[in-house]
Amino acid sequence: ATDVIKANGLMKGVDWFTELGRERGTAIHACCDLLFWNHLDWTTVDPRIVGYVTSCAEWCAHSQFKPQRTEYRAFHPEKLYAGTWDADGDCLQVEDFLFDLKSGAKEKWHGVQTSAYKELAAVNGIEIKRRGGLYLQSDGSMAKLYLHEDRNDLKVFLSALRILQKEEQMRAELEPYRQNLKRWMEAA
């Protein structure tokens, strides 16, 4: 799902496109996944990300989060897209809640992303009532939960998906012509 959003230019200025940012995000997600299931050994947490993980732990304790699934991969058999959401479960504020962990600033595309995940959940028989982003704080203060409630988010995602699929279809249809042109130019 994230690749669809990225391919359509809906992501602007995100820092995880750098190798360091990607590695930081991967490490944070791995630690939070272990944290959700009470398997995190805090002595193994890299000092550079301990604030983010502490932020998540503070929110989990405060909200009494009970995970159902974490790092859950799903596929939409009709719309032909896949995605992996970070977690879903129940907490004091919301039941059947799906969220994505974020270690940066709030972005408009985050709601589009979680709408795609909610749709994936539905076609895979998983009931999700609400969706949102859990914004981890680098200083270790409690993470901030923001619900994604824009009803147009899924429409935006499905439009982006259709554009990407149409572009791929057109590229495939043009490939034989490209090959013929290449052979013709090589023969000339």
Side-chain angles (χ1 to χ4, degrees):
T2 306
D3 290 342
V4 171
I5 296 166
K6 182 179 172 186
N8 279 276
L10 297 173
M11 292 180 176
K12 303 256 189 258
V14 290
D15 69 352
W16 58 263
F17 287 115
T18 67
E19 187 62 22
L20 181 61
R22 188 192 63 73
E23 288 174 7
R24 181 188 74 192
T26 299
I28 292 168
H29 277 74
C31 288
C32 290
D33 187 37
L34 292 167
L35 174 73
F36 292 145
W37 299 106
N38 296 314
H39 297 301
L40 180 64
D41 176 354
W42 282 93
T43 64
T44 65
V45 179
D46 187 306
R48 295 173 292 181
I49 64 165
V50 74
Y52 295 102
V53 182
T54 301
S55 178
C56 187
E58 291 290 322
W59 179 82
C60 287
H62 178 77
S63 70
Q64 298 177 18
F65 177 63
K66 305 269 186 289
Q68 294 295 317
R69 285 160 287 275
T70 59
E71 297 299 326
Y72 191 81
R73 293 180 182 173
F75 174 72
H76 198 304
E78 294 170 13
K79 295 189 172 87
L80 303 176
Y81 76 93
T84 304
W85 64 83
D86 294 335
D88 69 79
D90 302 326
C91 62
L92 290 176
Q93 299 118 318
V94 189
E95 289 183 349
D96 298 320
F97 175 60
L98 177 149
F99 64 88
D100 229 38
L101 297 169
K102 302 297 180 188
S103 56
K106 259 176 67 173
E107 299 282 348
K108 291 179 183 179
W109 60 267
H110 293 165
V112 175
Q113 180 185 40
T114 60
S115 73
Y117 296 154
K118 184 179 179 194
E119 177 78 2
L120 283 173
V123 300
N124 285 279
I126 300 167
E127 182 181 11
I128 298 297
K129 293 178 184 166
R130 312 276 305 266
R131 59 191 172 83
L134 185 62
Y135 294 83
L136 308 178
Q137 308 300 303
S138 62
D139 65 1
S141 60
M142 187 168 65
K144 296 176 176 148
L145 174 64
Y146 292 101
L147 295 178
H148 298 152
E149 300 180 303
D150 188 334
R151 294 174 189 230
N152 290 314
D153 285 343
L154 184 59
K155 292 176 186 173
V156 171
F157 176 78
L158 293 175
S159 295
L161 176 63
R162 185 65 190 124
I163 289 168
L164 183 62
Q165 289 171 337
K166 190 65 176 174
E167 286 175 346
E168 289 172 354
Q169 176 189 353
M170 291 169 60
R171 268 194 296 279
E173 290 171 356
L174 288 175
E175 189 55 32
Y177 298 105
R178 286 192 186 112
Q179 293 302 320
N180 284 340
L181 181 60
K182 183 179 176 183
R183 284 193 292 276
W184 177 77
M185 291 180 75
E186 288 171 352

